[in-house]
Amino acid sequence: MNVSIRGGSQRIAVIGAGIAGLASAYLLARAHRVTLFEAADYLGGHTHTVDVALDGMHHPVDTGFLVFNDRTYPNLIALFDELGVATHRSEMTFSVSLDGGRLEWAGANLNTVFAQRRNLFSPAFLGMLRDILRFNASAHRHLERVSANRCSVGELLVEGGYGAPFQQHYLLPMAAAIWSSAAHDILRFPASTFLRFCLNHALLQVNDRPPWRTVAGGARDYVRRIAATLDDVRTRAPVRGVRRDDDGVIVMTDAAGPERFDAVVLATHAPTSLRLLDDASSDERALLGAVRYQRNLAVLHTDCALLPRRRRVWSAWNYIGARSGLARGKAAPVCVSYLINQLQPLPFTTPVVVTLNPVDEPAPGTQLGRYEYEHPLFDLAAIDAQTRLPGIQGMRRTWHAGAWTGYGFHEDGLKSALRVARDFGVQPAWATP
């Protein structure tokens, strides 16, 4: 049975300063005394803005969290409005470049779809386009069917008779880019979760797509504004362990030693949360241990060789891979190049690129930074863990928050924080379920 804490100010430890931890601390601090712990030397987690010197200018560039839209991020937009965060119009175009540019196309318009004119006469390519139209038109019907049988994306594609070009040159690259996961991991995603996300985000329709936005001046602006409202923020403060007893929670750090709190919010990746709990129950071990993560290297650079070979194909998101990648490199991580000049209003004329897991190292002299991020893998075990999470929330004065509790994105991390805050009697008027 989970526990809600209402009435009277509590001393609460929030561990992890990504969107879920920042939002948890920000909300709980309205009625409680909060200490925010972060192991890194900066706040934000995947919200990581860096200053770039290029073309004789300096400007902030985001390397992790980049964009959001006004349809599927209602809580994030409301939070930004409350904080006074300015935003700017962005775009979400997508391209595929395989086997060193031997196959390239982008979805912006007919000119980019047929950037290689020979594809006008390619049965495989035209078959891919027919499968795209068929899949999009059948998405609602597919969702009704797979919601009952718990099949995977791979099983859905086989049952639907979708061809290899559709899978390898469109659907799996698109999904791999969205979730920062290898294509073979996408095949194991629950089909119902995948379809529901695509439908909610209007990814399977040509018209009436939601406009996308980015934070003006870099996403660290919202991080700084939240941090300014908190009284006790500790960076470079890795938590070594968490123990619970009848009187509350003990949090151990190197700098402060053991400190006692009334409650703790673990806003860390699920495996990290499990590692921190010195006295994890069998339910906690089973649930948190079911969520796996993919480690991804993000390289900030200016090497155009990691963009599609044809400039007309350049898009905001560019999937770079081998034509037969599913057959030859099942364990290969996803490679996506984000063209930041198209995503954010940069003053630079030089293309600025963030490449996830580059297939080749950017040329010497083009690298501006290297960063590691981890992203959850949403297989059936992870989805089942999400459904069991409410059963342990609040047990032994411990709450869990994180984007892993939803689809893995900023809105999901914020929604998890809102659910935690509600258990402590805090709920902003703008909160949307």
Side-chain angles (χ1 to χ4, degrees):
M1 179 179 179
N2 59 351
V3 177
S4 295
I5 296 183
R6 299 177 184 272
S9 176
Q10 307 287 321
R11 189 180 184 213
I12 304 171
V14 177
I15 302 174
I19 176 61
L22 285 166
S24 294
Y26 173 71
L27 295 167
L28 292 171
R30 301 180 181 200
H32 305 279
R33 293 166 293 141
V34 175
T35 298
L36 178 62
F37 295 92
E38 171 55 48
D41 60 0
Y42 72 97
L43 303 175
H46 287 194
T47 301
H48 191 189
T49 310
V50 299
D51 291 308
V52 168
L54 196 64
D55 298 340
M57 295 172 284
H58 288 77
H59 199 272
V61 172
D62 283 322
T63 65
F65 165 65
L66 287 164
V67 292
F68 59 96
N69 70 66
D70 59 3
R71 182 180 302 175
T72 56
Y73 290 73
N75 290 295
L76 188 67
I77 289 174
L79 173 63
F80 285 177
D81 288 343
E82 182 171 276
L83 293 170
V85 173
T87 65
H88 192 279
R89 186 72 179 259
S90 184
E91 64 174 78
M92 281 288 285
T93 53
F94 177 69
S95 79
V96 175
S97 177
L98 302 178
D99 202 13
R102 287 185 174 85
L103 174 66
E104 291 189 336
W105 72 284
N109 51 57
L110 284 176
N111 186 42
T112 62
V113 169
F114 293 102
Q116 293 173 287
R117 298 305 190 235
R118 68 172 182 268
N119 286 332
L120 285 162
F121 311 100
S122 166
F125 192 84
L126 295 177
M128 177 193 77
L129 297 180
R130 286 193 295 270
D131 272 349
I132 290 174
L133 296 175
R134 180 165 67 93
F135 185 83
N136 293 355
S138 304
H140 286 284
R141 187 172 71 254
H142 285 327
L143 179 58
E144 290 179 4
R145 182 170 57 82
V146 302
S147 294
N149 64 16
R150 289 168 55 86
C151 78
S152 67
V153 169
E155 291 167 337
L156 170 65
L157 295 176
V158 171
E159 292 173 9
Y162 293 101
F166 167 80
Q167 297 185 39
Q168 297 180 16
H169 305 162
Y170 167 68
L171 191 72
L172 296 181
M174 178 186 70
I178 290 171
W179 277 283
S180 302
S181 299
H184 77 285
D185 286 317
I186 298 298
L187 290 170
R188 293 201 289 263
F189 271 35
S192 58
T193 300
F194 176 81
L195 288 168
R196 194 172 293 111
F197 175 86
C198 290
L199 290 167
N200 289 345
H201 286 71
L203 297 179
L204 304 180
Q205 62 192 59
V206 176
N207 301 314
D208 193 32
R209 290 188 174 184
W212 291 82
R213 304 195 69 81
T214 189
V215 177
R220 68 184 175 195
D221 180 55
Y222 90 78
V223 175
R224 288 172 171 172
R225 290 171 186 262
I226 287 179
T229 69
L230 304 176
D231 294 329
D232 190 359
V233 177
R234 307 181 193 179
T235 56
R236 298 186 181 89
V239 172
R240 302 304 182 188
V242 174
R243 297 196 314 273
R244 287 78 55 91
D245 58 28
D246 292 341
D247 297 320
V249 179
I250 298 172
V251 174
M252 174 68 71
T253 61
D254 291 337
E259 291 183 87
R260 181 168 290 281
F261 294 86
D262 297 305
V264 63
V265 179
L266 293 170
T268 47
H269 298 332
T272 303
S273 298
L274 179 57
R275 177 176 55 79
L276 292 177
L277 291 174
D278 293 338
D279 52 0
S281 67
S282 58
D283 287 341
E284 288 170 329
R285 286 194 296 271
L287 192 156
L288 297 172
V291 184
R292 299 182 300 124
Y293 278 73
Q294 166 74 49
R295 180 170 295 176
N296 293 302
L297 171 67
V299 182
L300 178 64
H301 64 91
T302 59
D303 187 356
C304 296
L306 284 161
L307 290 170
R309 182 177 297 178
R310 294 159 182 83
R311 194 175 184 108
R312 74 163 67 104
V313 176
W314 287 11
S315 302
W317 295 37
N318 304 273
Y319 178 91
I320 312 294
R323 182 188 294 270
S324 55
L326 288 179
R328 294 187 325 197
K330 290 187 176 181
V334 62
C335 176
V336 183
S337 284
Y338 306 95
L339 183 53
I340 308 300
N341 308 67
Q342 292 192 19
L343 287 161
Q344 298 187 304
L346 302 185
F348 311 125
T349 56
T350 300
V352 178
V353 184
V354 173
T355 298
L356 214 61
N357 307 313
V359 291
D360 297 303
E361 278 292 311
T366 66
Q367 292 195 32
L368 304 171
R370 299 170 72 88
Y371 318 97
E372 280 197 358
Y373 301 112
E374 291 187 343
H375 300 87
L377 298 174
F378 292 103
D379 53 16
L380 284 169
I383 300 303
D384 286 343
Q386 291 178 357
T387 64
R388 300 197 308 272
L389 180 60
I392 69 167
Q393 288 286 50
M395 293 294 295
R396 304 177 72 188
R397 298 176 177 267
T398 304
W399 278 259
H400 300 272
W404 65 269
T405 65
Y407 292 115
F409 301 99
H410 247 55
E411 179 76 4
D412 303 296
L414 176 53
K415 287 172 71 173
S416 74
L418 286 165
R419 290 191 291 269
V420 169
R422 186 176 58 223
D423 281 352
F424 287 84
V426 179
Q427 189 75 344
W430 46 259
T432 300

